[in-house]
Amino acid sequence: MTTSPVSSATAPLSRSAWIEGYTIRALYVIYYAAGAAWMPMYNLYLESLGLKGFEIGATASIIPAVMLVFQPLWGWWADRRGIVFSLRIAGLGAIAFLLLGPLFSAGFATACIATFFTTVFFAPLFPLLDGVALAYVDANPRFKYSTMRFWGAVGYGTGAPLASWWVAKTSPSGLLAMAAVLLCIAMPLMFVLKHRKPAARLVAETGGMGDLLADRKVKLFLVAMVLASAFQNSIWAFLSIYMNEIKTPAHMIGWAYTVEGYSELPFYFLAAIFFRKWGVKQVLLATLVLCSVRMFLYSQTRNPWWVLAIEATNGITWTLFWLAAVEWMNTLAAKRWRATGQSLLAAAYSGGGAILGSFWCGWLYERTGTMIKVYAINGAASLVMSLAMIWLFRKELTTKIVPSEPEPEPQKQ
């Protein structure tokens, strides 16, 4: 009598695999809490150093510029030396410069230097952890990337109010110390992660980034991510200006960001359902269209309460978009170049797109004098880009990318 083999999606997991899975979740919470501790209010810290307006803008622009250049290099390095090993090095470097930066930042030049090195080590933590999570999901199909990434939203939502409370109790430089303390808590957890050493042939290969960028599909996808980020920058970087323009009470501006953040949470679980039903590519392209509509809606209202309603769509217009983008890039890049692929995606969206968007949206705002028109123009431009992407990838839409199945309850060993 023969027995049918147990599929990898239903086979019991070892204790070490369960521990690693929950360790990845914990790292998402801590990393994103650390990011929320210093990145949103970094300009406040720079102002406390005595920097003027232009100096603050120039120093802050170093962050996306570093992401654009160094994140792909970190991915390239991680695919050769191991993602977990690279994550530990980045974590140690980030702790060092978060602590040392305020000690040596006495002016514009030293603040620029400290910002550069802090970002070099801190920024790759997110795409590298994504690479670790995707590798874990690949080895344990019962888990889903989206439900693991959910804990990053929890961390960010927890870290932001804690940072506001902490800066009121201490000083703006305390934000960087808070981020460093959180990363110190994360360091022991990094040694729980399984070190997946790359094969010797992979270490010797010189491809990776070059191979990916030579792929027409990858290039089109990354260009689309840069453009999407540039248009969406008006949401992330200019929303407070828009809400002030329509005479929103100060406390309601804070509510907008709260609604935006909490609207994401259910979609980290719903994402797998949408991906199974329609496919990753189809969901990403649909969310690009929906985000274009979201920008157009901003241009049609001057009522702060309607803006809160628009912010409640963040889960379906952005969270699903980003989860689909990560999964799509994961299929475009060979498994051995997973970290490189995720780092290129992060560099395109958070680096190149953020820089382009800052200049584009700032120029539009200066020319039009109102965010109402900026949102109308960006909504239309984003819609054109979305339709162009649908046409360029029309042949791809005949097939579906479906991530792993939902995770069942743990089984006793």
Side-chain angles (χ1 to χ4, degrees):
M1 179 177 175
T2 60
T3 59
S4 59
V6 179
S7 71
S8 58
T10 58
L13 284 181
S14 65
R15 181 180 296 272
S16 62
W18 278 110
I19 291 174
E20 186 181 15
Y22 285 104
T23 298
I24 294 171
R25 289 172 169 85
L27 287 173
Y28 268 119
V29 173
I30 297 172
Y31 282 1
Y32 277 85
W38 74 277
M39 298 185 84
M41 290 189 281
Y42 193 59
N43 285 357
L44 179 65
Y45 162 70
L46 295 175
E47 186 178 43
S48 73
L49 297 178
L51 272 62
K52 305 300 181 184
F54 173 79
E55 294 174 332
I56 292 173
T59 306
S61 68
I62 292 173
I63 295 175
V66 168
M67 290 181 178
L68 175 64
V69 175
F70 282 89
Q71 293 214 36
L73 295 178
W74 271 101
W76 177 85
W77 167 266
D79 282 327
R80 283 161 176 75
R81 304 302 175 193
I83 299 179
V84 173
F85 173 75
S86 302
L87 195 64
R88 295 168 185 167
I89 297 298
L92 288 170
I95 291 170
F97 285 103
L98 283 168
L99 292 174
L100 294 175
L103 298 179
F104 295 97
S105 297
F108 176 52
T110 51
C112 287
I113 294 171
T115 301
F116 174 83
F117 283 105
T118 301
T119 309
V120 164
F121 288 96
F122 189 90
L125 293 176
F126 304 113
L128 289 178
L129 185 58
D130 280 340
V132 171
L134 289 166
Y136 179 81
V137 168
D138 189 53
N140 303 281
R142 68 176 62 197
F143 292 96
K144 304 186 298 292
Y145 165 75
S146 58
T147 58
M148 304 192 86
R149 176 60 179 80
F150 161 86
W151 295 98
V154 173
Y156 196 91
T158 304
L162 281 177
S164 299
W165 171 81
W166 182 247
V167 75
K169 293 287 185 181
T170 58
S171 67
S173 63
L175 296 169
L176 282 78
M178 177 181 171
V181 169
L182 287 168
L183 291 186
C184 286
I185 295 172
M187 281 307 299
L189 297 177
M190 295 186 199
F191 289 88
V192 176
L193 299 176
K194 182 179 179 181
H195 177 58
R196 296 174 174 87
K197 187 176 180 181
R201 63 173 179 76
L202 179 59
V203 176
E205 285 186 29
T206 58
M209 195 185 308
D211 293 342
L212 281 172
L213 293 176
D215 188 323
R216 177 179 173 274
K217 293 179 183 177
V218 172
K219 285 187 288 190
L220 285 174
F221 179 71
L222 292 177
V223 168
M225 293 301 99
V226 169
L227 293 175
S229 175
F231 298 136
Q232 293 170 8
N233 185 264
S234 58
I235 300 176
W236 320 128
F238 290 82
L239 182 66
S240 59
I241 295 176
Y242 161 71
M243 296 191 75
N244 188 59
E245 181 182 312
I246 63 174
K247 298 182 172 33
T248 306
H251 65 280
M252 284 191 70
I253 297 177
W255 292 356
Y257 289 107
T258 301
V259 170
E260 181 182 285
Y262 281 108
S263 73
E264 294 186 12
L265 299 182
F267 286 91
Y268 285 104
F269 295 94
L270 294 173
I273 298 174
F274 291 136
F275 293 161
R276 284 199 303 273
K277 186 173 181 61
W278 291 295
V280 168
K281 301 172 186 176
Q282 291 81 350
V283 169
L284 184 142
L285 295 172
T287 55
L288 280 176
V289 173
L290 290 174
C291 199
S292 304
V293 174
R294 175 182 175 181
M295 285 184 271
F296 181 74
L297 290 176
Y298 287 126
S299 72
Q300 298 302 302
T301 185
R302 288 156 181 77
N303 186 327
W305 290 101
W306 279 113
V307 175
L308 292 184
I310 296 171
E311 290 308 286
T313 68
N314 191 60
I316 198 168
T317 58
W318 189 83
T319 305
L320 279 179
F321 157 78
W322 185 250
L323 293 173
V326 170
E327 295 282 7
W328 195 340
M329 174 55 81
N330 195 41
T331 64
L332 290 172
K335 289 183 180 179
R336 65 185 187 278
W337 303 123
R338 178 177 279 127
T340 301
Q342 294 304 318
S343 296
L344 282 171
L345 172 60
Y349 189 87
S350 301
I355 295 170
L356 178 61
S358 295
F359 282 106
W360 166 249
C361 296
W363 179 81
L364 273 182
Y365 181 54
E366 185 176 338
R367 297 285 293 181
T368 63
T370 171
M371 283 303 301
I372 298 290
K373 292 183 179 179
V374 172
Y375 281 123
I377 293 170
N378 274 354
S382 178
L383 182 60
V384 171
M385 185 274 294
S386 303
L387 295 176
M389 193 174 176
I390 291 172
W391 185 81
L392 289 170
F393 284 95
R394 62 192 183 281
K395 293 181 180 179
E396 300 285 320
L397 300 181
T398 57
T399 58
K400 293 196 300 184
I401 303 171
V402 180
S404 57
E405 293 297 318
E407 52 189 305
E409 294 296 320
Q411 299 182 27
K412 292 182 180 179
Q413 301 297 305

